[in-house]
Amino acid sequence: DAGVIQSPRHEVTEMGQEVTLRCKPISGHNSLFWYRQTMMRGLELLIYFNNNVPIDDSGMPEDRFSAKMPNASFSTLKIQPSEPRDSAVYFCASSLISGFAFGSGTRLTVV
Amino acid sequence: AQSVAQPEDQVNVAEGNPLTVKCTYSVSGNPYLFWYVQYPNRGLQFLLKYITGDNLVKGSYGFEAEFNKSQTSFHLKKPSALVSDSALYFCAVRDIYGGKLIFGQGTELSVKP
């Protein structure tokens, strides 16, 4: 199993541009999570899905952020328009029952 | 609300000495507790978890953790620290209602030769 796969690993973009982060969960896992890590705020849960359905998006900072999970093997996190304060490492994780696995993260820099 | 706290931002240990990274939790019901490690510029790697059973849980890389219900703690331990153990350690509890992991703020472990 290749684990949770995130792309891209690094993204540098200009303020105002749209950014799309991608995640492929582990096959068979039925829950998917998007986390953001910053020095100031640590690890924050943005949104998570059970069986492709968004369950809790209370962590999504504002309307500029949106996430989709069109099928069991793919999810996207989109920021439009991006701002410098969105610079962070974004992690995707997937889970089945008690096992959690994290991707390597996408380091986003908005200049 | 369920939460975890890691009271130390940083722990410094000499190589070969035992190490402890502290974690306390607050949950309603039985907790599902986890430890993860993050090396610089890397993702989170699973170390160990407590779901039920033995209070002493053994995990990867020689780490173990002791679940203490009366003290609501789940401290991470290792008998003999290595320089390569230097990393950021996160304690987490699983939300029994929704399944999400709630993380502590992390503890930076530094092991010096």
Side-chain angles (χ1 to χ4, degrees), chain B residues 2 19 22 28 31 45 71 78 86 88 90 95 99 106 112:
Chain B
Q2 305 190 96
L19 70 86
K22 295 179 180 177
S28 50
Q45 296 180 32
Q71 297 185 4
K78 187 172 182 180
S86 298
L88 186 58
F90 289 96
D95 182 330
K112 297 284 194 245

Coordinates of all heavy atoms in Angstrom, one line a residue, chain B residues 2 19 22 28 31 45 71 78 86 88 90 95 99 106 112:
Chain B
Q2 N -13.8 17.2 24.0 CA -12.6 16.3 24.3 C -11.4 17.1 23.9 O -11.3 17.8 22.9 CB -12.8 15.1 23.4 CG -14.1 14.3 23.8 CD -14.2 13.0 23.2 OE1 -13.9 12.0 23.8 NE2 -14.6 12.9 21.9
L19 N 13.5 8.9 28.6 CA 12.8 10.1 28.3 C 11.3 9.9 28.6 O 10.8 8.8 28.5 CB 13.0 10.5 26.8 CG 12.4 9.6 25.7 CD1 11.0 10.0 25.4 CD2 13.2 9.7 24.4
K22 N 5.0 14.2 28.2 CA 3.8 14.1 29.0 C 2.5 14.5 28.1 O 2.6 15.3 27.2 CB 3.8 15.0 30.2 CG 4.9 14.6 31.2 CD 4.9 15.6 32.4 CE 6.0 15.1 33.4 NZ 6.1 16.1 34.5
S28 N -15.1 12.3 27.5 CA -16.3 11.7 28.1 C -16.3 10.3 27.5 O -16.3 10.1 26.3 CB -17.6 12.5 27.7 OG -17.6 12.7 26.3
P31 N -11.4 6.7 26.3 CA -10.6 7.4 25.3 C -9.9 6.5 24.3 O -9.5 5.4 24.7 CB -9.6 8.1 26.2 CG -9.3 7.2 27.3 CD -10.7 6.5 27.6
Q45 N 4.1 10.5 11.7 CA 4.2 9.0 11.7 C 3.6 8.5 13.0 O 3.8 9.0 14.1 CB 5.7 8.6 11.6 CG 6.4 9.0 10.4 CD 7.8 8.6 10.4 OE1 8.2 7.6 10.9 NE2 8.7 9.4 9.7
Q71 N -5.3 9.4 36.6 CA -4.6 10.7 36.4 C -4.9 11.2 35.0 O -4.4 12.3 34.6 CB -3.1 10.5 36.5 CG -2.7 10.0 37.9 CD -1.2 10.0 38.1 OE1 -0.4 10.3 37.3 NE2 -0.8 9.5 39.3
K78 N 10.6 6.2 26.8 CA 11.5 5.4 26.2 C 12.7 5.2 27.1 O 13.1 6.1 27.7 CB 12.0 6.0 24.9 CG 12.9 5.0 24.1 CD 13.3 5.6 22.7 CE 14.1 4.7 21.9 NZ 14.5 5.2 20.5
S86 N 15.2 12.9 18.3 CA 14.9 14.3 18.3 C 13.8 14.6 17.2 O 14.1 14.3 16.0 CB 16.1 15.1 18.0 OG 17.1 14.9 19.1
L88 N 9.4 16.3 16.8 CA 8.2 16.9 17.4 C 7.2 15.8 17.7 O 6.9 15.0 16.7 CB 7.6 17.9 16.4 CG 6.4 18.8 16.9 CD1 6.8 19.6 18.2 CD2 6.0 19.8 15.8
F90 N 3.4 14.5 19.0 CA 2.0 14.9 19.3 C 1.2 13.8 19.9 O 1.3 12.6 19.5 CB 1.4 15.2 17.9 CG 1.8 16.5 17.3 CD1 2.8 16.4 16.3 CD2 1.3 17.7 17.6 CE1 3.2 17.6 15.6 CE2 1.7 18.8 17.0 CZ 2.7 18.8 16.0
D95 N -12.1 11.7 18.8 CA -13.5 12.1 19.1 C -14.4 10.9 18.9 O -14.5 10.5 17.7 CB -13.8 13.3 18.2 CG -15.2 13.8 18.5 OD1 -16.1 13.1 18.9 OD2 -15.4 15.0 18.3
G99 N -15.1 10.7 15.1 CA -14.0 10.0 14.6 C -12.8 10.8 14.3 O -11.7 10.3 13.9
G106 N 1.9 19.7 20.8 CA 3.2 19.2 20.4 C 4.3 19.5 21.4 O 4.2 20.5 22.1
K112 N 20.6 15.2 23.1 CA 21.9 15.6 22.9 C 22.9 14.5 23.1 O 22.7 13.7 24.1 CB 22.3 16.8 23.7 CG 21.4 18.0 23.4 CD 21.9 18.7 22.2 CE 21.3 20.1 22.0 NZ 20.4 20.2 21.0

